[in-house]
Amino acid sequence: MTMPVFEEYEPAADCGCPGCAQERRAAALGLTVAAGGHPAAHGARRALVLATAAGVVLGGGAGGAATAAAPGHAPARTGADHDPETPQGGPGPLHGGRPQSGQTGESAHATPTATRPALRITTRAEIITRAKRWLDAKVPYSMEKYWSDGYRQDCSGYVSMAWNLDGNEWTGSLAEYGTRINREQLEPGDILLFHNPADPNKGSHVTIFGGWTDSTQTHYIAYEQTRPHTRKQATPYAYWNNSSRYLGYRYNGLSGGTGGGASTATAYPGRKFFGPGANNRYVTQLGKMLVARGGKRFYSVGPGPAWAEADRRATEAFQRAQGWTGSEADGTPGPHTWRLLVSNQGNDIPAADGGGQGSGSGSGGTTTGAGTGTGATTGGVKFPGRQYFRPGQSNEYVDQLGRQLVKKGYGKHYVSGPSPRWTEADRRNVEAFQRAQGWRGAAADGYPGPQTWRRLFA
C-alpha cells in the first residue's frame, strides 16, 4: 500500500466552497495573542490535505474510496472544530467609509490599534432606537456582509451600530469602549459580553440589555444579532449558555453622567448600599430625592446617611405610586426606582389619604372616619362629598367637576360637554385623571374623593 503524504496549501481566494470559505474566515481572524487571538491562530492559517503519492485512496478499490478534498480546496470543518452560531468579523472601518484613526485600507479584520477615536456621545434611548431599526428590518445575520449603514451584520457589528461607534468592532475590542458594571447596575443600552480569547469563534457573543422582564430579575429583554436575523426576546440572565462568563459593560460615551466616568450622583450604586445597617451618602441622596417627590412626611428630622425606617417607608410609597405591588414595592430601591428618581420621572408620592378612595372608603374617596369626606378644601373649592357623584345624581357639583376635568385636559369622553347630570362619561374622565396620578385599582374607580378633588382643583 502506498504511504500517504501531507500536502500544504492555501485556500483559494475566490473559491466559494464551504471549506475554503471557512478557512478564509479563520485566517482573517488570526489575530495576535495580545489582541485576543488564539496562539495557534497567529500568522497564516494553513490546511493539510491527506492524499496519496500515487493518487490512490486509502483502503483501495472504488467501492471503499474515501472522499478527499480537491487540490487547492480546504476541507469543511465540522462538529466541535467550528461553532456556526458565533463566527464574527474583526475590527475595521465602516463599510464604504473612512478607516478608523490609525488604520488604513478596507480590511474588515485589521488588528486593533492602541489609539481609539473620540467617542460619539449618545443616550440610552438612542441606543435602543438604533437597535430597533435592525429589528424592524430583520437584518440577516452575516459575518461577511454589511448593512446599508456600513456596519457588519454580526453580533459585534450590531452593538457597534447601536453604540454609534465610528467603525466595526468585535467581542475582543468592545470592552475598550465601555466600563465594567455589575448585574445590579444594568440598564437599557448596556451590553452583556462574552469573549472567548482561547477560540474567539467558539461561544463569543454580545447582547444589548433592554431591561428586566419582571422584579425577579431572572430574565431580561435581549436585543441581539443572531441567525437568522436580528431578534428581541426574553432571555435568561446572562445567556442561554456560558452564562457565568458574560460581563456587563456601559458605553463610555453615554450622556447624563453614566458613561465611563460614571457619576455617582446618577448611577445606581447597587442594593448593598441600602437597607438595615447601611450608612453612606447614597442613602442621603435617596432621602432627598424622595422628599422632593412628596415623601417629606415620612421624615421627622430629614434624610441622613444612616438607613432608617423612614427611608424604607418613603421608598415603598414611591414604588406604590408607580402602581407596583408585592416584591416590586418592598421599600428597597432597585435600578428602576433609582432611575425614576434621578431623572425626575414617574409619579410623585400621593398625599397621606391616598388616591381617589382614601383609607376608609369602599368606593367614595372619603378620609378615615369622615363619612362624607367634606374636609378637603383647595383654593376655596370644598369637596362636597361622595354622595353627589353617583348614577342618577344631578347637581351643580357634577357640572363643576366636569368643567374642571375639561380644563385640565381630561374631558375626551364627553360627547356634548359637561352637564349637571352624572354620566358614565364623567366617571371615565375622572378615572383617567386618577390613573394619571399613578393610582390603580380601587383608588382609580372614577368616583372623586377628597384627594382627587384637591389635585383636580389645585
Side-chain angles (χ1 to χ4, degrees), residues 248-267:
Y249 288 92
R250 175 164 297 156
Y251 178 50
N252 286 341
L254 197 65
S255 65
T258 55
S263 168
T264 55
T266 56

Side-chain angles (χ1 to χ4, degrees), residues 180 183 186 191-195 203-205 207 212 217-220 235-248:
R180 178 79 174 86
R183 172 178 176 156
L186 283 169
I191 64 172
L192 286 165
L193 171 70
F194 166 45
H195 177 66
S204 299
H205 191 48
T207 69
W212 298 108
Q217 296 187 358
T218 59
H219 288 70
Y220 69 101
T235 303
Y237 179 85
Y239 201 64
W240 304 94
N241 47 42
N242 298 307
S243 180
S244 63
R245 303 180 69 179
Y246 277 78
L247 301 175

